[in-house]
Amino acid sequence: MAIQQADKLLKKHKDLHCAKVLKAIGLQRTGKQDEAYALAQEVAALEPTDDNSLQALTILYREMHRPELVTKLYEAAVKKVPNSEEYHSHLFMAYARVGEYKKMQQAGMALYKIVPKNPYYFWSVMSLIMQSISAQDENLSKTMFLPLAERMVEKMVKEDKIEAEAEVELYYMILERLEKYKEALDVVRGKLGEKLTSELQSRENKCMAMYKKLHRWPECNALARRLLLKNSDDWQFYITYFDSVFQLIDESWTPPAEEEHSLEGEVHCSIEQAVNFIEERITEESKSSRPLRGPYLAKLELIRRLRHRGCNDEYKLGDPEELMFQYFKKFGDKPCCFTDLKVFVDLLPPSQYTKFIRQLLDVIPLAAAAENEVALPGDIKALQQHLCVVQLSRLLGIYHAMEKKQKLAVVRELMLRYRHGLEFGKSCLKTELQFSDYYCLLAVHLLLDLWLEGEEAAVWQCLTLLEEGLSHSPSNAQFKLLLIRIYCRLGAFEPVSELYSSLDAKHIQHDTIGYLLTRYAGSLGHYAAASQSCNFALRFFHSNQKDTSEYIIQAYKYGAFEKIPEFIAFRNRLNSSLHFAQVRTERMLLDLLLEANISTSLEESIKSMNLSPEEDDIPWKDLRDNRDLTVLFSWDPKDRDISEEHRKLSLEEETLWLRIRSLTLRLVSGLPTLGHTIQPKNSEKTAENGVSSKIDTIRALLQQLEAAVDSGKKFLEQKIQYPVLGPPPTRMAGFFSNGSCQCQTSLFYLVSDIYELDTNGLDSAEIQERIGNSFKSLVERLTDLFNKCKGDLIEVRDGTLKTHPNLLENLVFFVETISIALWVSSYCDSVLRPFKSNLQKKKKKKKESSVAMPPVFTHFLDYVTELQTLTSNVIDHIKGLEIILTALKLEELSFKDTLLLQEEKKFTKTVQGKVQSSYHHSVQEIGELLKKRLDTIKKLKI
């Protein structure tokens, strides 16, 4: 419609630029990119200066992801209308979008000359800082860009032209980057510092930062002390106060006899003073109308530091156990009480743990209806206090030390408390969490412990309780995240997609928690869902580029200069994201798997993805692990929780696996480049076609793949076990153990041999024999891989369900390997076919009935036949699995454990139905894909 309207206008007014551009926008949005681009360039070549055309072209170029064209547009406009403030400002913003900092500096100054407004001048200054940040040479940055920026600001300071807070912030930023901390401090403390008013305590925070850089601990201490007198609940200043006290003690600093202690007033430089100061804060707090947690926690922090330093003065502050008990009595009904005390539990001796928990339980007002019944809280405050104690019990390892029976009893009690607590949340909205949700989560954590100890039924109970919890608290993200992790561990991906989308992950969360989804999607045979989840993540990463440019422009417009380097760093961090690289690689492999059946369609797919075996676009050295590995709540003691070591190992494993996958993708993308373009034994032609370099690339990549596989095997020898809620392991272990790795590498070696046959002709019997042996061993290896896929995916053992997700993963690897085998066979076919037709021509010429056929043809035909038989067998096996899964009557399962209440049984059926349906779906998708492969194999006849 829009295109038609534009055409009508253009019939009347041929040279109406704006109408042409609007038509181009219409063409772009209907997928006719080339026509749109041609039309836009036609208008751009005329260098329009009317605002409508310029704005419309800007919109079009942005949609085309070609921001560099906008700069050319406004450069031309500025030349024609040199005094336009608007066009100069648009030109500056166009440069900002593409990060042309030098041109931004020039554009800013040109703008300031036309319209001498402060913001324009400081745009130019900020562009100098950006040049210094992006400069590869740090020396150049500190000797040229930053000093020039400093001189430009000093000029304005001398002329008394500084007007806004943003300008002072910019001056401070320059001095800080030049490490002129003394001068920066003078600016903040001086007249210019009075303009720093938008943030609370902005001036004090900047002073504090500079004092720390200059190691002026007396000032640090006095300022922190002064701020704590104003607000004794500000935790950051307690930390600075303690840091400075101990620094002064270590330096044996003493206050001067007659002068002021420091620029900021009185200084505390001994432990006695610190102890007295904290006691005074607590006394002050007791008079306050609102209870403050800071002073009490500061006392525990001071004890911890004294203990760490081996001082014997901690007795002056009291016994940590008693202090924590008093803290619980005061703040136990607040949800933050547990997280506050969690930091200090290591002050308690392990022998006191049980006594401490009992002491806390004694002060909670719980009432039991009858003698042997569980004592329950009468209100939300008591429930919150009890919850805090349960969380502490888990953290102190009390639950971990229990026997199986005791653990099950605790699970029963926790679920009873959970259901009782639901009464307090009857008026809660759907978007609010129930007060007792944590009871359910803690019960699930206990059941997970039992599952890891080999209790198979426990995992089904976990799912049952979580589904029940979710029905009462539909917005609880922790329930959803735990369900996602457990379903994935059991090999059921179907329920996970819905759970993840209900989390409604926003923006950066696609990078931080996206791994929970993308790690399992493809590997469990849900190809359509895998494709969708990869698209989801990639959409965020691609829009990040465009969005960040907009944030930067807004920061310039509103003078938030200190945010600009942060936005740039954020963009770089996302571009170097490990998750981004993984999703991109897996998505391309998945697309090839789903779309490319034979070498022609493989070639088309590779072309449309702009894939090239020579290019590696993953920033290996700068890869950033942005995953949030602590997104799932954990109340485990330190020795069982996820550690820094686990993070490092997980990153190493993920990087190794990404390298293997990336090299596999590049090797596959190299297959079509070896197309049959060579005349046998014609070396000049070979070099001319550049195909010899292509095979060299393939061989080099193969060596890299071998090296990556060796590194992967060495890594797995460490037999690392991550915590159950820690990072999920990669698919690398399965890839090696089921034989997929050996199959895939030998397929790529076969490519090299076939190429050799192509170059040397059919004369070499040795190459033919080598190829024949490769075919035989490949069929054997693929048969072995198939044998590792055999078995029931879900079995009922002793009335309990047991899933075998590894069989599903093996099937997925089989499909991938058979696809690579097909692409390689297709290449073999393209090489052998011309040889055969040449032989047949010779046969006709010589009119001989028996020209001996070289053995390689028989080898290839046997190989294709065996490949066909094997694939048919796998398809039959999958049909068998489908029948078994459909016939599995889960409702007839008898639950040995009478733990399950009637309402729980309802959720158990739901859970088991979801797992059964998911497996069924996986098997169907895998079967469909294999049928496509079988059809293609049948066409492979020379």
Side-chain angles (χ1 to χ4, degrees), residues 463-483:
L463 290 171
T464 301
L465 299 186
L466 286 167
E467 288 283 6
E468 183 187 342
L470 198 58
S471 71
H472 296 298
S473 197
S475 296
N476 192 318
Q478 286 301 316
F479 287 159
K480 293 174 188 177
L481 290 165
L482 253 178
L483 278 167

Side-chain angles (χ1 to χ4, degrees), residues 793-830:
L793 294 175
I794 301 179
E795 60 173 330
V796 180
R797 200 189 287 166
D798 306 333
T800 305
L801 271 191
K802 174 138 181 70
T803 61
H804 295 284
N806 58 315
L807 294 177
L808 205 52
E809 293 217 6
N810 288 350
L811 267 171
V812 170
F813 274 128
F814 179 85
V815 174
E816 189 180 296
T817 310
I818 209 90
S819 300
I820 295 175
L822 195 58
W823 296 326
V824 172
S825 307
S826 193
Y827 168 59
C828 296
D829 183 67
S830 72

Side-chain angles (χ1 to χ4, degrees), residues 803-926:
T803 61
H804 295 284
N806 58 315
L807 294 177
L808 205 52
E809 293 217 6
N810 288 350
L811 267 171
V812 170
F813 274 128
F814 179 85
V815 174
E816 189 180 296
T817 310
I818 209 90
S819 300
I820 295 175
L822 195 58
W823 296 326
V824 172
S825 307
S826 193
Y827 168 59
C828 296
D829 183 67
S830 72
V831 169
L832 294 176
R833 204 180 280 265
F835 280 135
K836 189 165 186 183
S837 62
N838 284 343
L839 280 169
Q840 281 168 340
K841 280 175 193 170
K842 280 181 190 175
K843 199 173 174 182
K844 279 179 186 171
K845 274 182 189 174
K846 293 183 179 180
K847 296 182 179 168
E848 285 175 31
S849 56
S850 59
V851 171
M853 269 291 169
V856 71
F857 293 110
T858 326
H859 294 321
F860 182 64
L861 287 171
D862 290 350
Y863 165 67
V864 170
T865 311
E866 285 173 325
L867 214 55
Q868 191 174 326
T869 313
L870 178 64
T871 312
S872 298
N873 291 345
V874 181
I875 291 170
D876 291 343
H877 170 65
I878 285 174
K879 279 179 190 161
L881 288 176
E882 275 191 60
I883 293 164
I884 294 167
L885 283 167
T886 313
L888 201 62
K889 296 278 186 283
L890 296 181
E891 56 273 15
E892 288 169 16
L893 279 178
S894 58
F895 296 105
K896 298 179 302 173
D897 211 327
T898 50
L899 247 178
L900 292 174
L901 304 170
Q902 199 52 45
E903 67 236 46
E904 285 182 1
K905 285 183 181 170
K906 177 182 74 179
F907 289 109
T908 307
K909 279 181 185 172
T910 310
V911 162
Q912 291 177 337
K914 282 181 179 181
V915 173
Q916 184 184 13
S917 159
S918 177
Y919 268 90
H920 197 260
H921 198 122
S922 296
V923 167
Q924 274 180 329
E925 285 207 35
I926 293 169

